[in-house]
Amino acid sequence: MGPARAGEQLRRAAGEPEVMEPALEGTVQEGKKMSSRKRPVAGSPAESLLQPVKLSRKELYKEPTNEELNCLRETEILFHSSLLRLQVEELLKEIRLSEKKKDRIDVFLREVNQCIKKVPSTPETELIEQAWLPAGVRVPLRQVPYTVKGSFRFLPPAQVTVVGSYLLGTCTRPNINVDMALTMPREILQDKDLLNQRYFRKRALYLAHLAHHLARDPLFGSVHFSYTNGCHLKPSLLLRPHGKDEHLVTVRLHPCPPPDFFRPCRLLPTKNNVRSAWYQGQSHPGDGKPEPATPHYNTWVLQDTALESHMQLLSTVLSSAQGLKDGVTLLKVWLRQRELDKGLGGFNGFLISMLVAFLMSTRKIHTTMSGYQVLRSVLQFLATTDLTVNGISLCLNTDPSLPAMADFHQAFPVVFLDSSGRLNLCADVTASTYHQVQHEARLSMALLDSKADDGFQLLLMTPKPMVRSFDHILHIRPVSRLQAACHRLKLCPELQDNGGDYVSAVLGPLTTLLEQGLGTRLQLLGHSRPIVPEWDICQDPPKHKDSGALTLGLLLQPEGLISVLELGPEADQPEAANFRQFWGSHSELRRFQDGAIREAVVWEAASLYQKRLIPHQVVTHLLALHADIPDTCVHYVGGFLDALIQGPKETSSTGEEAFTVAVRCYDDLSRLLWGLEGLPLTVSAVQGAHPVLRYTEVFPPTPVRPAYSFHEHLRERALLLPRSDKPCPAYVEPMTVVCHLEGSGQWPQDAEAVRRVRAAFQLRLAELLTQQHGLQCCATATHTDVLKDGFVFRIRVAYQREPQILREVQSPEGMISLRDTPASLRLERDVKHLPLLTSALHGLQQQHPAFSGVARLAKRWVRAQLLGEGFTDESLDLVTAALFLHPEPFTPPSSPQVGFLRFLSLISTFDWKNNPLIVNLNNELTAEEQVEIHSGFLAARTQLPVMVLMTPQDRKSSVWTQDGPSAQILQQLVILAAEALPILEKQLMDPQGPGDIRTVFRPPLDIYDVLIRLSPRHIPRHRQAVDCPAASFCRGLLREPGPSSLMPVLGYDPPQLYLAQLREAFGHLALFFYDQHGGEVIGVLWKPTSFQPQPFKTSSTKGRMMVSQGEELVMVPNVEAILEDFAVLGEGLVQAVEARSERWTV
């Protein structure tokens, strides 16, 4: 990871103004770009920002034309803003097919038609006698069982018709597909071809003969087979042009029978057309049992007979208005971004077009609507209509011979009938898929109703891959294991109906089983079937077992996720037997506190980390018990990333319990401070101001008990000091607590006097805590360190008017004015903004338990890239908080894994240059206030930091990013996030396992000019490294818990102290990067300006040497001496200094 171009962004970071660089204009964006037109390169940072268009007074007040008035009126009626209209129009312009390409496609289609008509006929043979097929072509159908009655001969199609979205004008780029229906002559079909796959065998042979002859035609660059919408009984032939037009279009050939050839009464959902004796290979019919219905098989035949009638219906409806076509096109984009239109059972563009036709027939959509209104109307219908309960029909005929709606509901999970009343358009759509469509429609409607400025981007331009939409993912592999599940679940009739496709047969029962078992833990269960790729005509069709893995996604419910108890009925209830049968050996009788004796299941989980993974236990238990799928065949992806935030030697927890202990200790200390007696002023507020107290410290603290033999003692002050002959002691960071005192007129009004009074309060505070509560304290002028229960708290006394006093500036004339100073801003940030932020994020953690894990993973990744110094704790916490407070188009994450993926996506796709990231803590900001913040941001953009984070308490200045990152550091993070996201998603979606999940956390070291290797002996957090060392040094802590009378060494981190010295001595020449969590390497980048010869000055000789250039003396860096100084400064800590001289020259 980390290409050289990323390093170049850092290399330019020296001596340049802190404004947004044009480099950030290329921020990586997911999804389609709004325009492919090239933009002029900005000449300066200010020019690269979005600027208002300047108009002359005459142009500004010019009367609008009639066309402009009409456009404004249409926008007011048909859209909710002018911006949305422009965005929709631009998108439609991008994905529509141009007239020029249409003409080229039309020419190709005419040539295809001519080629098809020239294919020669063949003599009649039996279906099982296929020796007449040439050696270079295979039948694109799994012929199991092989023996079947009937004969076949090839005759050119009676009719070739273009069907589908191409003629309707709703096909979308970039992949243009044109469907052609080939009506097979009546002479080659027989009445009984409905039975036992005879029709599908003839259809496949028809395609095979066509493929052989068309493949030899120079017109075609490639001729392949593919399954129609993933249905393995219905292959199609794919034709692509030869030469430069190879990617212009793909023509798909679909053989079909004449519309009225098969009797409709034989294709009802209650009829059987696949005989059990034939399918099971029995020589004699069965024992007289009724044949099971084959509704899916019948539907696939009906689909072929209705191709032209559906085309006519859609043509009549959509040709009436352009707005309807635009609406269908937008809906297709909406489905594609959510991956809902893929494969067998996908909610594809044809279904959405038919749904628009249905809403037209019920007058919920009319021809005057815009594409946006059609989109809204369809999404509203989907969000509020459950087709798994109440089906809909395009049929207006009341003929009593038509099957009842109840018959379709019994045969299919989702029901939407076409105009004939016999064909269920949603026959292949599972209940899970439709519920996912409903879920997405509800989210989209909420987004549209909010009228957010970025609603269009979130709705239609943001991809929602499965791994980023669901909290947990599980892969069942090999998929052939589902064949045994069919037999265990007694699904032989379904297997017969689906032509041996055991994935389709078992999918519905399997999802129902898991939904029942997960219960209140589950919000939504989605699935993704393996996509069967197209194959060459000389190859056999893919087998089911070769199709990869079945992937399921679990969207979890935070409220019920961590419950360890499944409560069943009382023991004497009839439902108890069903409960025991469902849960098997895990079910047991238990007596509860109310005296009731109930069946119950208790899952083994002690820590929050284990409770988050209870769904894993549920899934593997139920699949093994009911579907004969062992846990070795279930690859569950839910907690792989948690290893990065687990403490040393900790495998069963991610530290949430340690946070709870620390926060409880803080609460106890707060009560002690509130109850102190003897302070001149009483305590008015105690506020936490440390990441631990908002649950976002990467590695939570644990109670420390230092070993005295490991330290030197300062007994007169009850302190410990590190010993030079021992390894560096454990790193102990005090937790900051701000203690506000009540107001009083006795406070002085001079800044220095206030500091002295505060120092007195700090000393008095230490005395009282020691006297009244026996706590070990160490007071200084600015803070008091308190040791309580093994935790160290740093209490800072705050006076509420001190920032105001620091703002007072006196002029030479004696006038006092108020002006922000660095000291006042820093103090206000530390004693006002930071406690408020800590409190708000603490509340967010109580509302969303996954917040802690996501924030810690985000910080761990940023610091692992050696960029931690550029980003404050608070800035990264706020970015993470935005994922929970503004999750659109997703729901708030319920697992650290999916939250971290969305963090990478947000970092890499957000437009940091032209937009502030508004984090609406506690939902305090109204929509109008957010618009006002955005307007203020645009007006003051050049004075604001590169990365702007706004909150309800900080609406103008972005206090948490004032000191960084620089434009180059932010750009480096954007590039790294854009590279890490697809790598990590691919790892998590790999059914064979994620491999080395730490890959994306390892920093790219090849971009640095110098690498300083450190000795692990003096790295106190060595065990926190991304690649945890197998062995490290003892850090002077006792394992047995107990009270300690001496204050441990606080904040002692030699690498950080060494870094501070390096930056002070050589900050004008180089940049230094380090991972504070156990990093063994410091990366050094020379500043480009440092190698430019400087005029000789006695004040600028530091790190430079004098050389002669022409007739004058100039100063250049003395690189050898600098590298030697690196080692000298870090003597004992530095192991080696590697100069990568091939990357730079003097």
Side-chain angles (χ1 to χ4, degrees), residues 11 400 739 970 975 1015 1078 1128:
R11 199 177 306 285
C739 182
L970 179 57
I975 291 173
S1015 167
V1128 171

Side-chain angles (χ1 to χ4, degrees), residues 360-513:
M360 275 286 290
S361 68
T362 57
R363 300 185 180 180
K364 292 182 179 178
I365 289 178
H366 50 82
T367 55
T368 59
M369 283 185 170
S370 67
Y372 166 73
Q373 287 181 308
V374 172
L375 172 71
R376 274 193 68 108
S377 299
V378 174
L379 292 180
Q380 177 67 23
F381 177 81
L382 288 171
T384 56
T385 308
D386 191 352
L387 298 185
T388 63
V389 178
N390 298 307
I392 56 176
S393 175
L394 278 163
C395 180
L396 303 177
N397 195 343
T398 57
D399 187 350
S401 65
L402 291 176
M405 185 69 74
D407 294 336
F408 285 98
H409 275 295
Q410 188 174 357
F412 305 105
V414 185
V415 178
F416 175 18
L417 304 184
D418 75 342
S419 54
S420 71
R422 294 185 174 88
L423 171 58
N424 180 17
L425 300 171
C426 290
D428 296 323
V429 179
T430 63
S432 296
T433 298
Y434 185 73
H435 288 149
Q436 188 179 350
V437 171
Q438 277 197 297
H439 171 77
E440 293 292 349
R442 282 192 286 266
L443 292 179
S444 299
M445 284 307 301
L447 182 60
L448 290 174
D449 290 340
S450 70
K451 297 186 178 180
D453 286 342
D454 57 350
F456 170 83
Q457 181 74 25
L458 297 173
L459 184 71
L460 295 172
M461 305 298 288
T462 304
K464 294 187 66 175
M466 189 176 202
V467 69
R468 229 181 296 162
S469 301
F470 292 91
D471 295 302
H472 290 176
I473 301 291
L474 65 104
H475 307 285
I476 299 177
R477 71 330 177 225
V479 79
S480 58
R481 192 71 201 186
L482 296 175
Q483 196 165 9
C486 285
H487 295 294
R488 181 64 178 268
L489 293 167
K490 299 179 180 178
L491 298 176
C492 289
E494 286 79 2
L495 204 58
Q496 183 173 321
D497 181 26
N498 285 278
D501 183 0
Y502 43 80
V503 178
S504 297
V506 81
L507 190 53
L510 209 60
T511 54
T512 303
L513 173 73

Side-chain angles (χ1 to χ4, degrees), residues 852-902:
S852 170
V854 178
R856 293 162 63 201
L857 276 173
K859 290 182 185 178
R860 187 69 196 92
W861 179 78
V862 171
R863 292 169 182 172
Q865 307 308 309
L866 313 187
L867 300 177
E869 291 293 327
F871 298 86
T872 61
D873 269 292
E874 294 74 23
S875 64
L876 294 174
D877 287 347
L878 282 172
V879 173
T880 305
L883 301 172
F884 292 84
L885 296 170
H886 316 289
E888 298 83 3
F890 302 96
T891 54
S894 292
S895 73
Q897 169 183 291
V898 73
F900 178 63
L901 291 174
R902 293 184 198 169

Side-chain angles (χ1 to χ4, degrees), residues 24 137 230 285 326 382 416 492 603 793 820 835 853 1075 1091 1119:
L24 271 185
V137 66
D326 292 346
L382 288 171
F416 175 18
C492 289
W603 303 103
F793 296 91
D820 284 334
D1075 176 12
F1091 285 89
V1119 175

Side-chain angles (χ1 to χ4, degrees), residues 12 197 261 289 341 391 425 436 449 498 506 511 520 583 590 613 664 667 678 724 743 832 841 934 1035 1080 1082 1104 1113:
R12 298 203 308 267
Q197 301 182 9
F261 185 82
K289 291 182 180 179
D341 58 343
L425 300 171
Q436 188 179 350
D449 290 340
N498 285 278
V506 81
T511 54
T520 56
W583 290 108
R590 283 184 172 249
L613 292 176
R664 191 180 300 125
D667 291 337
S724 58
K832 178 185 175 183
L841 295 182
H934 197 275
R1035 299 299 173 186
E1080 295 185 17
I1082 295 176
R1104 298 180 182 273
L1113 297 176

Side-chain angles (χ1 to χ4, degrees), residues 692-765:
V692 170
L693 304 179
R694 54 181 184 264
Y695 298 87
T696 62
E697 182 67 29
V698 178
F699 295 97
T702 54
V704 294
R705 188 184 174 203
Y708 298 155
S709 61
F710 210 82
H711 302 79
E712 293 182 9
H713 300 200
L714 287 179
R715 294 193 180 278
E716 66 278 5
R717 298 186 60 186
L719 293 176
L720 298 176
L721 291 178
R723 284 175 53 174
S724 58
D725 59 333
K726 296 282 188 180
C728 176
Y731 180 76
V732 179
E733 183 176 355
M735 290 175 269
T736 307
V737 177
V738 179
C739 182
H740 294 269
L741 301 178
E742 65 176 343
S744 171
Q746 301 300 314
W747 281 92
Q749 299 304 307
D750 176 69
E752 181 59 31
V754 169
R755 277 194 288 272
R756 291 175 180 271
V757 171
R758 276 199 299 104
F761 271 111
Q762 299 286 177
L763 293 170
R764 183 62 178 157
L765 200 62

